[in-house]
Amino acid sequence: MSKIVPQKKIRILLGVCGGIAAYKSADLVRRLKERDFDVRVIMTESAAEFITPMTLQAVSGYSVHDALFDREAEAAMGHIELAKWADWILIAPATANTIAKLSVGICDDLLSTVVVASSAKCFIAPAMNQQMWASSVTQENISKLVSRDCHVLGPASGEQACGDVGFGRMLEPLEIAEQLVDYQQGQGSNSLPSNGLAGKRVLITAGPTVEAIDPVRFISNHSSGKMGYALAKAAQKQGAHVTLVSGPVNLTTPYAVDKVDVISAQDMLSAVKNRLVGCDIFIGCAAVADYTPVDVATQKIKKNDNDMQLTLKKNADIISWVAAQSKKPFVVGFAAESENLQQFAKSKLERKKLDMICANDISEPSLGFNSDNNRILILDKKGVQLQLPAASKEKIASDIIQQVSDRL
Ligand code: PMT
């Protein structure tokens, strides 16, 4: 008879730092325990200003550790035992101060000491004011931690407790717990998301544009936005700050992604122009209308007995504008082709001065526009070619983002 070997629970040491997001820590412990993780909590001194040790003790089921020099606590479970107990250390919220200390190995409280004393995989969910997060010193500290195999989760963008708006909000507890489950399921395989885009700014266009003819009629195409939204999700999972400029689609905005809705190609160009400063990677996945009506009728055009002629003018090429900037990001284009895939894509790569292009063969209706799958041929300006076999847009997106990350 075969013996059932119970699976060991992953032991997570949750480090809570002193930021307003600490009030979410109780929920985070609950979400982690629901997903069968064993959770113990360390609090920094300032975290206790935002949430009580009693609350975290009640939800975790363990006494909470908060002092480095506490004889009783050391006798029960000292900092070295805690460091050995943990399979993973999750610091959430991680303040700019703790991130800075960890980046240089300062050990002046229990949490920083345990991190240095432990060989556990470390995850960091930053939470701070948007300007503190954007500051070069925090970004340098984060890069150091990433280079030491720390995995950064978020932060998300949005309104902050101080009233500012921008990147710096801690990811929601549910999202952190889900990302850890994804990590656990990917362990040991190649599907593990890397953190290669941590702190990078990525601007992505997605979906169709809609060019008005009159108040009820328009010119557009069959782009559903699925490919662009999958790219946004994949880049966010690699730690990037993602802004998605989206034409009209029927999709949910991926978590922690900043979305800007646009309608026409002209709107899309303006939105891109307004958000390009500081951008490290630009991905033009939108199916932008090449032409737009010269005149948009203000009233519904009436039918008569004659044929009708519509005069169109050329839209500006958004991606070419991005690639022509003196401080240009790494620019990735798409080319949907129904014939001569490689030749047409290569000519777009050169003509638009792109760094990389993803060519989709749209001769098969089950691939490309408005479908769940895609097949991509990647070409870059150095002449490297890579065929990604037909797969879901999520899988293709994560492979494309990995290719971009490898080239940066
Ligand atoms: O949205 P889905 O249903 O998921 O479908 C995804 C997709 C098929 C739309 C996507 O994978 C794709 O291929 N998008 C590009 C479509 C296309 O053919 O683009 P293009 O050849 O017109 O343009 C080439 C590149 O220039 C693209 O990066 C495009 O975004 C950009 N472009 C084009 C015209 C313009 N005025 N401005 C631009 O920036």
Side-chain angles (χ1 to χ4, degrees), residues 205 207 222-228 284-290 315-319 332-337 348 352 360 362 368-371 374 393:
T205 64
H222 293 296
S223 169
S224 62
K226 286 179 189 169
M227 191 67 240
C285 184
V288 187
D290 289 321
N315 274 325
D317 196 295
I318 301 169
I319 205 164
V332 182
F334 269 75
E337 308 294 348
K348 279 182 188 166
K352 300 190 183 214
N360 10 200
I362 52 161
F369 279 91
N370 199 18
S371 73
N374 214 347
K393 284 183 175 167

Side-chain angles (χ1 to χ4, degrees), residues 20-225:
I20 182 66
Y23 83 90
K24 297 180 178 175
S25 301
D27 188 32
L28 178 56
V29 173
R30 202 168 58 87
R31 302 286 184 184
L32 293 169
K33 289 187 70 173
E34 276 168 7
R35 283 155 187 79
D36 222 19
F37 294 115
D38 196 6
V39 187
R40 278 180 181 270
V41 181
I42 290 183
M43 295 174 79
T44 63
E45 202 181 320
S46 47
E49 301 288 332
F50 296 92
I51 186 165
T52 68
M54 187 64 86
T55 307
L56 294 170
Q57 178 173 312
V59 284
S60 68
Y62 289 112
S63 27
V64 169
H65 306 266
D66 53 6
L68 183 56
F69 302 112
D70 177 333
R71 267 175 291 155
E72 249 176 58
E74 279 289 304
M77 192 178 219
H79 65 277
I80 298 297
E81 278 88 356
L82 269 177
K84 286 183 180 158
W85 177 86
D87 294 312
W88 296 350
I89 296 176
L90 166 64
I91 306 179
T95 55
N97 179 49
T98 294
I99 289 170
K101 286 199 297 184
L102 296 181
S103 75
V104 288
I106 289 177
C107 303
D108 66 349
D109 62 6
L110 181 64
L111 177 59
S112 53
T113 306
V114 167
V115 173
V116 174
S118 176
S119 59
K121 170 80 188 165
C122 191
F123 298 87
I124 290 184
M128 65 195 76
N129 164 269
Q130 52 88 23
Q131 192 53 52
M132 289 173 84
W133 173 250
S135 74
S136 53
V137 67
T138 302
Q139 289 307 311
E140 279 165 25
N141 293 336
I142 282 286
S143 302
K144 280 189 202 159
L145 293 175
V146 169
S147 70
R148 280 185 230 135
D149 207 25
C150 252
H151 203 96
V152 182
L153 307 169
S157 169
E159 196 171 334
Q160 304 197 297
C162 57
D164 280 7
V165 178
F167 284 98
R169 281 166 62 105
M170 187 176 87
L171 293 189
E172 291 303 324
L174 183 58
E175 183 63 24
I176 294 176
E178 286 299 319
Q179 291 208 20
L180 292 189
V181 170
D182 284 355
Y183 186 91
Q184 181 189 12
Q185 288 169 352
Q187 262 187 332
S189 79
N190 290 332
S191 64
L192 199 64
S194 90
N195 215 195
L197 295 185
K200 298 275 182 233
R201 293 186 176 267
V202 181
L203 185 58
I204 300 176
T205 64
T209 65
V210 169
E211 312 296 320
I213 298 171
D214 71 10
V216 293
R217 302 179 180 96
F218 56 81
I219 301 171
S220 191
N221 58 66
H222 293 296
S223 169
S224 62

Side-chain angles (χ1 to χ4, degrees), residues 192-375:
L192 199 64
S194 90
N195 215 195
L197 295 185
K200 298 275 182 233
R201 293 186 176 267
V202 181
L203 185 58
I204 300 176
T205 64
T209 65
V210 169
E211 312 296 320
I213 298 171
D214 71 10
V216 293
R217 302 179 180 96
F218 56 81
I219 301 171
S220 191
N221 58 66
H222 293 296
S223 169
S224 62
K226 286 179 189 169
M227 191 67 240
Y229 277 56
L231 287 163
K233 192 172 174 184
Q236 195 280 327
K237 283 207 162 179
Q238 280 221 18
H241 301 156
V242 183
T243 303
L244 186 58
V245 177
S246 173
V249 298
N250 212 353
L251 297 174
T252 309
T253 307
Y255 185 73
V257 165
D258 210 12
K259 191 184 65 159
V260 184
D261 288 314
V262 296
I263 296 178
S264 67
Q266 181 54 47
D267 297 341
M268 191 171 268
L269 175 65
S270 306
V272 166
K273 282 185 174 177
N274 288 338
R275 286 160 184 85
L276 197 70
V277 177
C279 168
D280 300 293
I281 300 162
F282 176 84
I283 306 181
C285 184
V288 187
D290 289 321
Y291 296 91
T292 193
V294 170
D295 295 309
V296 181
T298 51
Q299 303 298 330
K300 184 180 167 197
I301 299 169
K302 288 286 168 206
K303 184 168 69 180
N304 59 33
D305 292 338
N306 304 324
D307 290 340
M308 184 190 161
Q309 286 219 341
L310 201 58
T311 312
L312 304 176
K313 61 179 177 189
K314 219 168 164 196
N315 274 325
D317 196 295
I318 301 169
I319 205 164
S320 298
W321 179 86
V322 171
Q325 300 309 297
S326 53
K327 277 192 169 177
K328 74 177 187 92
F330 185 88
V331 186
V332 182
F334 269 75
E337 308 294 348
S338 53
E339 56 176 348
N340 300 333
L341 182 71
Q342 184 180 353
Q343 182 197 337
F344 289 165
K346 186 164 180 283
S347 108
K348 279 182 188 166
L349 174 83
E350 289 165 357
R351 197 172 65 245
K352 300 190 183 214
K353 299 195 170 20
L354 311 179
D355 295 295
M356 186 174 128
I357 196 158
C358 303
N360 10 200
D361 179 354
I362 52 161
S363 56
E364 276 179 50
S366 62
L367 299 173
F369 279 91
N370 199 18
S371 73
D372 291 332
N373 300 309
N374 214 347
R375 182 170 53 222

